Amino acid sequence: MPSHLSADRPAAQPPGRGSVDALISQTRRLKGEVDAVRRDTEDDGTDHPRGRWQRALCDLALHQLDDLDEHLAQLRDGPLPLAPDPDPATPAQGSLLSRVGSAEWNLLTDEASWSGELYQILGRDPAAPPLTLDELPSLVLDEDRPGLTAMVTNCLVDARPIDGEFRIARPDGGVRTVHMMGEPVLDADGSTASMWAVLRDVSELRRSQRVVSRTRDSLHHQREAARTEHRLAVELQEAVLPPWRGSLRLPHRGPRSLDLAARCLPASTRTLIGGDWYDALELTDGDTLLSVGDLTGQGVGVTSNMTMLLGAVRGMAMAGAPPGQLMAWLNQLLDATVQPALGSAVCCRYRPATRTLVWAQAGHPAPLLFRDGTGRVLDTPDGVLLGATSGAVYGQAEETLQDGDLLLLHTDGLVPGHTGAAAAHLLLDLAPRLTGSAGAEDCVRAVVEEFGASEREDNACVLVAKVMS
């Protein structure tokens, strides 16, 4: 049976320790900056609901950065050895439950292989044999077992990636929430030979989100008559892991300013999870954050890093950082060479009150604007490439949109065999068809019909936003 590290997917060389240490330092510096923002909310000495909400949101961002810090440390230090722990219920080295564990289940031999971290996460004796896929549900709470069974079945039968959560009961009596991401490993005939997955304990992250939810409820009850405060409260519930592979669903709070649709187009010759994403988030001030980008590399590890990165981006955007500042902070996080690394990104902030689009980019195709049967590439703002130098400043560009305008964001690889200006030219040729479409979903469908059937070497994402009156 071919392993998930085979001739078609060579093993990645471990990054240099110095580069990982540099990235850890950058992450901790950003944590300090977010912590400083949190302290600023305590300066007036009051316990206003808005201040409690701001502090809870900062705590959520700090938890996500803590996880990123922990994962980078694991990348530097390597996996845990399979050695018995004096007390498996109480790990000795800090927060080992936040580390990432891995497992592979061989369907041909019914054998299982677990990393030391996974034993720690599940509270199992490292000397005990790993559980098979049939035995794994015995650790899961009864009400969560159907969801786990459905995810595993879809992976093994339909070769779908796994991305979901369930709760486990540990031997010490504790209940923990585990996030599982996995993918099938195919044999030479294209049949599923094994399943590979990574798991991490997200209990503390979910606890922080519940705190955010409680402060949201308090704010809503005390300021129920104020629509703005209500929007802030509801927004907190959506400040979670970015849905870069699902549908774009913004909350319905009165008239919509943008009609949104997006699609991820997988590579033709790969069954692995790719590093391209799209994301949309309605911010607390009524603006909408739009972003697309890609991480270098393939596989579950790329997706795990993407989750942490986009979670931090969402937190910074909700704190009011404009697109150029977001790019600068990303540069601070990623200026050291470490795999997977951010390949490119474009970040937009749409203000419906003035119909103004503010955007910045880092080594990424510029957005396309379609209006009255024609289209054009937006003028590129002055700036530097992501990862150039620490402390880099990114320029921003502004564009005033009109009712019915279509904004198209995409990653490289959307047009198979073409990049840069050539790809933009082919997309702009669709202007009559796109501007004649009823909505954003129709536009995405037209793009997919035009370019989705062609074989592509890499994954690609497209996001369309239509300005509504």
Side-chain angles (χ1 to χ4, degrees):
M1 181 201 75
S3 170
H4 59 276
L5 294 178
S6 64
D8 294 330
R9 185 182 177 189
Q13 295 301 313
R17 185 181 182 92
S19 62
V20 177
D21 284 336
L23 188 55
I24 291 174
S25 298
Q26 295 292 334
T27 303
R28 293 174 180 174
R29 181 155 54 248
L30 181 57
K31 286 166 55 179
E33 294 175 0
V34 176
D35 188 53
V37 173
R38 189 191 189 284
R39 291 196 300 270
D40 288 343
T41 65
E42 302 175 344
D43 288 346
D44 57 9
T46 64
D47 193 28
H48 191 276
R50 182 185 180 92
R52 291 198 300 271
W53 165 75
Q54 291 173 331
R55 291 191 293 274
L57 189 58
C58 287
D59 287 341
L60 178 59
L62 286 172
H63 270 300
Q64 293 178 338
L65 289 171
D66 283 338
D67 279 353
L68 179 60
D69 189 2
E70 190 75 27
H71 296 164
L72 289 171
Q74 183 179 357
L75 178 65
R76 178 193 61 194
D77 300 336
L80 291 176
L82 282 175
D85 190 274
D87 184 2
T90 307
Q93 300 180 21
S95 181
L96 284 176
L97 293 180
S98 67
R99 294 170 66 94
V100 174
S102 63
E104 184 168 3
W105 290 274
N106 188 318
L107 305 181
L108 303 181
T109 63
D110 202 30
E111 295 178 344
S113 175
W114 286 9
S115 70
E117 289 88 356
L118 185 54
Y119 278 94
Q120 293 279 12
I121 291 172
L122 302 181
R124 302 277 297 176
D125 183 356
L131 299 182
T132 65
L133 278 178
D134 291 334
E135 297 169 333
L136 184 62
S138 65
L139 303 178
V140 180
L141 299 190
D142 291 344
E143 54 267 39
D144 291 354
R145 289 179 185 176
L148 173 62
T149 300
M151 287 190 297
V152 172
T153 301
N154 290 336
C155 181
L156 299 181
V157 176
D158 299 328
R160 297 181 186 175
I162 288 179
D163 187 353
E165 295 181 3
F166 50 86
R167 291 166 296 168
I168 62 165
R170 287 168 52 90
D172 60 4
V175 175
R176 308 294 293 184
T177 301
V178 174
H179 186 194
M180 180 177 182
M181 304 186 71
E183 59 187 26
V185 179
L186 307 182
D187 59 18
D189 297 330
S191 302
T192 302
S194 64
M195 190 186 83
W196 182 58
V198 293
L199 299 92
R200 68 186 183 100
D201 189 325
V202 294
S203 304
E204 294 305 313
L205 181 61
R206 297 297 173 255
R207 183 192 63 79
S208 295
Q209 290 170 338
R210 289 194 294 271
V211 172
V212 170
S213 180
R214 287 195 293 270
T215 59
R216 175 207 63 196
D217 293 339
S218 175
L219 183 62
H220 173 64
H221 292 150
Q222 296 186 34
R223 302 284 301 275
E224 185 175 3
R227 182 181 177 186
T228 301
E229 295 296 330
H230 172 67
R231 292 179 62 188
L232 289 172
V234 177
E235 191 63 47
L236 291 177
Q237 194 174 29
E238 298 174 27
V240 294
L241 303 179
W244 66 92
R245 294 198 169 272
S247 60
L248 293 176
R249 297 178 182 175
L250 296 183
H252 297 291
R253 307 182 186 125
R256 291 186 299 167
S257 59
L258 290 176
D259 179 24
L260 296 172
R263 194 74 56 85
C264 179
L265 303 178
S268 303
T269 57
R270 298 181 183 179
T271 60
L272 302 177
I273 300 171
D276 292 52
W277 88 83
Y278 59 79
D279 189 34
L281 177 67
E282 186 177 342
L283 303 175
T284 56
D285 57 3
D287 292 359
T288 300
L289 176 72
L290 305 174
S291 69
V292 298
D294 65 272
L295 289 171
T296 61
Q298 295 280 342
V300 175
V302 174
T303 307
S304 178
N305 282 273
M306 184 192 303
T307 297
M308 306 310 302
L309 179 65
L310 293 185
V313 168
R314 281 187 159 201
M316 291 185 288
M318 291 184 69
Q325 183 63 68
L326 281 177
M327 291 300 179
W329 283 344
L330 283 176
N331 185 70
Q332 292 181 13
L333 278 174
L334 303 170
D335 62 352
T337 301
V338 61
Q339 297 294 330
L342 187 64
S344 63
V346 60
C347 177
C348 306
R349 192 178 185 115
Y350 177 66
R351 300 167 181 163
T354 59
R355 289 184 175 170
T356 302
L357 181 76
V358 182
W359 66 284
Q361 66 180 153
H364 197 85
L368 307 180
L369 177 62
F370 297 88
R371 176 186 299 166
D372 298 331
T374 63
R376 64 181 176 89
V377 181
L378 294 186
D379 294 333
T380 303
D382 294 332
V384 298
L385 294 177
L386 190 65
T389 57
S390 180
V393 177
Y394 290 84
Q396 295 184 159
E398 291 193 10
E399 187 78 24
T400 300
L401 305 182
Q402 300 178 11
D403 184 24
D405 280 357
L406 287 173
L407 188 70
L408 189 150
L409 283 64
H410 68 96
T411 59
D412 277 327
L414 178 62
V415 181
H418 298 80
T419 59
H425 178 74
L426 292 175
L427 287 168
L428 293 175
D429 285 343
L430 297 179
R433 187 175 177 186
L434 297 184
T435 55
S437 300
E441 185 62 39
D442 297 318
C443 295
V444 170
R445 187 178 300 112
V447 173
V448 173
E449 289 175 355
E450 185 70 22
F451 304 112
S454 302
E455 292 191 359
R456 63 185 69 251
E457 295 182 358
D458 296 310
N459 300 280
C461 290
V462 56
L463 185 154
V464 171
K466 182 176 183 180
V467 179
M468 304 179 67
S469 56

